[in-house]
Amino acid sequence: RREGNNEAQESSLGPLQSPSKPITYRVRDLPGECSWDGIRELLDATLGFSEGQSDIIIRSLAYSSGYSGLKTATISSVVLAGILDEKTNHWTFELLGHTQTTADGQSRPRFIILDSHFEGLTPLNSPKQQDHHLDVIALTGLGGHAFTSFKQREQDFMWLRDTMPDDLPGAQVWTYGYDSRLTASQSFQDLEALSSKFRRLLVSSRVQYTALVQMSQDQSTEIVATYRAIYGILFFGCPNQGMNIDSLLAWCDGQPNQQLLLTLKHSSERLRHLCRNFSKSFTFPDSRIISFYETKLSPTAVKSADGVWSMTGPLSVLVDASSATHGRPGEDQAHHIQALNRNHSEMVKFGRKDVDYDIVLGFLKEFAKSASDIIRARFSLDGKLPSSAERDTLGDTSKNRHTLFSTSRDDLRSHEISKWLAPAAYECGYYQDDLEEARSFRHEGTCRWIETRPEFVKWSNCKDEAAHSLLWIHAIPGAGKTVLASYLVRFLEGPQNLRIQPQPIFYFFCKNADPDKNNALAIAKALAHQLIQSPQVASHDIVKDLRSQMESGGRSRAINFRPLFELVCSHLNKLSRAIIIIDAADECSDVDKLLPGLILLTEKGTAKVILTSRREPNLINILQDKPGLGMELEDVQEDIRHYLEYQVDQSQVLSHARVRHRITRILNIRSKGMFLWVVLMIKEFEVCLTVEEIEDTLNSLPDGLNGVYERILTRLHDSLKPLRKNFCCRLLKWIALAKRPLRLTEVGEALRIQYAVAIDDFGNTQHLLCSTRELELVCGSLVTVKDGVIQLIHLSTKEFLIDQKRASDLSQDIHAFFVRTQDDSALLSGICVMYLSTCCVPGTLARDDSPKGWQMDEAKLLEYAYLNWLLHLTESSSQALLRQEPTLQRFLASRNSLYWLEICFTIDRETHSTLSTHLQAVFNWCLPYTPEDSGSRSPQGLVPLLHYWAKSYLQLLDDYGPSLKNWPHEVHYIDPERVFEPSGFQILESLRQSGSYHRHLVLKDSKPRRFSMIGSAHKALQKYTGLTDHYGCFLVDERRQVFFTLDKEVYTAPRIYCQDISTGKRLSPIIDTEFGENNCLLRSEGATLSACGQYLGIVYSWRELGGMTIYTAIWHLSELFDFSGAGHVQWARKINSLSTRAPGKLAMFSTNPVAFDDDGFVYCPHGRVDLTSGVQKQISRERKSEGLLDVTFSRDGQSAVLASAGDYPVGGCIVEDISPGGELTVMSYPKVKETITFSRALSSSRRFIIWSRHCCLVYDRFSQRTQELDRAPVAGNVRFLISKDEKILLGVNDTNDSLDREITRIIIWRQSDSLFDFWAEKAVRGLLRGFCLDERHNLLYMVSPGRIWSRVDISTTGLIDPDFNSDEPQISRTEYEVSRDSTRMIILRRRIEK
């Protein structure tokens, strides 16, 4: 390269001139049959050299692609330049005596191409095909040349061509060149364009950051294959974090390529983004990256007197070591980094026998040794050998194949898990972005005071002392806690920290305004991802554990905090004193979930923790006895002084001799340790136009951050024109109340709609045209814009703007800037709904699940508005919401809301849970404003409409949510009568008029009827919302004729459901609010309904750090249940809850872990509880110290089968009469030789005890006889029920038939003479998900895997289904299915026989 090397690739001399040194040329499209010896003669003849005139020397000859076709050569010559056209560096010559045949059979002349630019890929050698297993590609840098950048200066030696093919057998060596010259460039291509071209050429032939990032995101098969075939990279002075381009900018001044150069500057946003994404994209754990950095100063660009630029200017460091070696996490150790005692332009200009070349060759040989097997493993993720084509590419060795296959599968799983851990709005490694952003705010030399603070020294030097393993750094708002935390991460992981042994460091930066960064779950996900990336962690183990949790959760993203955090803690326990740094813990909404686990880690001595935050009351309560470090004024005052001196020196205004020292001194004193106050005041000074104005500002400095904010708002009021002031007020309201950081496009669209509403012109197309700088000027430094996202500058800014009490004490002039939370939330909700109304129209979405009528880029506000309008609504007051009544009524009572639901599931298939939570919040918000008589048919007003609408849509999601997840458009085929009922709101009537529901018709007796998506009408129960498709309880209330159900295992707050047996209608679920949505795994162990039907008792268990917890909830049920669907039905309220820690291992509870007696007491694993007073009393006198294992109560609660660790006799159980004066019975049975722990039941009178393991036994306590049940199940799981009158014993046996199909056996025994005789048996396909007895009507209710209930009459020997019409022995039915386009029909005829 002429510019970068000071060594011209001279190829443009005049026809009568010859250079003094040979020039290297590339010759392409040479015939494949040409040999090394024949090329010279061919070129001499083609170029017209006579004998003795040519001095061409052939330097290399290689196939251009594969091992057939054309070849490429490199040649050197002195005289050749004299005959070539000097106006170009690319020449074409006809190849004399050679022709080529075209596809149509015609003969055409053949040409060769000669060039000196070496752009594109150039092969430098061709190893034997059977030996070829490695490709080495060398890429040049900015202003470089693909050949001379690697050539020894002043010599003709080029190591890639002349030495490496022999030193690295089996490798084919290539160079890649591209036009990045600096002089007279007319190109405006950017990094993306350059890398895309390289990527395509690389694929077509058979890498710097951008190309790899693109490859990892491209779904093309060839691209993915090429990406997976990359084993290692050597970076020579690569400017990961920018380079010194000051002299080069002047060289390119006014040229189109100046923008490309600017992307390489220090602190470049593009480079920072590229660097972060590279570590996320090239994630193969078996790959290698080596970074080389320069240790000599390099000449800079300078312009001579005659106007010629050259690299002969003052010496400087072009790419410093930190920029050149900033690679992937874990690759900052000495064996990943290598210094070269060269300047930047000479880093790869190796000579013969060069020591630096030997170092590079050593790394390449290490790569070559393992690359083939590892790449083969990547191509064999399914455990199969590569195809023949892949073997041709990868070679034929196959060492350690099975181990390598496992490694590559782990890598694939790691990528899937990273996606599972990533929040919806970010990629998984976003915490690295936050760290880099915080570091960018740190001024050089600051934060070092902490290294000598005694509290930090104690923390850093502690070994196993739990007392000093947690350090709480607290300070006032704006003191620089986040910057300090970023410094600590770098300090503790860097080589400068000589006192502390290198330890794995994990970190997180909380941000209150971002829902993906303000909760304990976000922290747990970030820590889990950092564990995967940490070199000190066995990635295979944690990937395996995370994958198991991911599969059990059944969701595309992690949503449950406790199991994930427990997993993180278990792997942190395996490390040697890991370090965890959590910044802004006060901005974590549920930090109380996180801190106990972190404290436990420090107490075990497995981790050291640093927390930064304000001194908030909730944190004081938890951390009051932990070591604290308060950031004092004297700590940060010196840092502030350094920062002020730097800022004053950089400003032409502030550096005026008359004020500079006063600014530094006064601001330092008045800051009171608040860095943010100083930053804001500097910006206030920068708008001053004169020295006198600066002095006036110095004489009236505000106190504290709130004083600065008031000053900024006052200045905005005085300086902004009315339109801009109005714009600023609206913008601040959106940013302050937004549920997540907003993109500029979203803010612009929201303000456009708001402006259109204000002027009553919805056709207005005014858009936000302000630049980032203008936005910051309009809002007076209160906002910051980065990467197209706009936010308030600090959490304290939001707290100031929403403080109405403070606003009332300030000048009336600035009241308009403040946010009235309830009023403005109503406005934002209305704007979002108005926007959704424009999107939610027929034709908006295609019917094949893919958005065609809109794109996210076009629907600028849709991604924010589609869920957050509900949250804004719940923060409004009813009075404020009335101003949005017309907009909301039009939306809620029309088909637009169904289109909105379709959009929700199209944008995010996993939105079901979030949507249900938001709708439930709306429903609850309406309750205080909904009159008691709102159950009437014609309630009036917006709030009753919202209440009715939210309730109906919650029901819709319960019934159809799983179907909508996969087929969002099916929402339009739901019969509205299934969701809405006739009401004064006219929703049902509106939907009937605006759509047709003839897609599903069932014809019976020639009479058509509507058919919904759920097939079995009212027999379909509430869907499973838990992890398993079993119900934790399935109870029938014989008096009310309703079902009660709840899920077996859930991570969310448990819900109780009630459904009418005759109509299938349901009440709104009751949510146990003691549990959060991200709680641990709750398991329902059983439930019981009191005999009077007034009380419902439920027992749960869950495992957490330190053991198992048993929890019992007692609910009081309403006397009457209103299934009319109008108004809110609060049908249950919790009257008591108890929890007990079980240190022993908890066994599965049996049939009745909770029972009610007739005297107002409830019996549960915690003891006897008075339903009226809530007094609790222990019930077992014989319970051992090891802890409760199991308990089964009689149905009247007066007796119990109890078990503690070690209680059971061999072949028996313990029965305790817990009534006053009761006795203890120990039973055993000689046929059973092991402890019986499998299943038990106890009759109401305590007379009969049933237990089983390998046989089923009944013990009669009155006659003291033990009976072995006839035809009792001997395999599978069996559960027992005894009727209240003790006449019927029911056994439900889950087992398999002879064909290994899952079936359930239902067995009935009847009492006769104190013995139970076999009565009837029935087998049903599949395993029952729940069952219960209706003894009043002699019915057994069962739930199939499809959530459809059925029943049998247990008084009949055949267990007949009473719903089956025995008078009609066979039923003929015909169903018609019409295709969506009405062009085809399917006819299905069924014949159902008894």
Side-chain angles (χ1 to χ4, degrees), residues 302-321:
V302 65
K303 190 176 184 180
S304 64
D306 56 356
V308 178
W309 284 92
S310 63
M311 300 295 289
T312 56
L315 297 180
S316 176
V317 178
L318 294 187
V319 181
D320 59 40

Side-chain angles (χ1 to χ4, degrees), residues 633 637 664-673:
L633 177 61
Q637 205 156 32
T664 303
R665 178 173 52 82
I666 294 176
L667 290 189
N668 197 6
I669 295 172
R670 295 291 299 276
S671 68
K672 298 179 182 178

Side-chain angles (χ1 to χ4, degrees), residues 130 132 172 433 522 528 806 937 1320:
Q130 63 270 24
H132 181 203
Q172 182 167 19
D433 302 349
R806 179 179 299 278
R937 288 293 181 180

Side-chain angles (χ1 to χ4, degrees), residues 42 44-48 93-99 110:
L42 181 66
D44 285 348
T46 301
L47 298 174
F93 297 91
E94 183 177 348
L95 199 58
L96 300 179
H98 291 75
T99 59
R110 191 172 225 168

Side-chain angles (χ1 to χ4, degrees), residues 1305-1333:
R1305 292 177 62 206
I1306 302 161
I1307 311 165
I1308 306 291
W1309 294 271
R1310 287 185 174 271
Q1311 185 192 353
S1312 173
D1313 249 349
S1314 78
L1315 296 176
F1316 282 92
D1317 297 329
F1318 173 78
W1319 169 255
E1321 181 178 5
K1322 184 182 181 70
V1324 296
R1325 182 176 296 177
L1327 304 182
L1328 294 186
R1329 279 15 182 183
F1331 65 91
C1332 58
L1333 268 177

Side-chain angles (χ1 to χ4, degrees), residues 856-871:
M856 275 300 187
D857 291 340
E858 299 173 1
K860 298 173 184 176
L861 192 59
L862 186 59
E863 191 176 352
Y864 178 83
Y866 83 99
L867 282 181
N868 288 310
W869 74 274
L870 296 166
L871 298 181

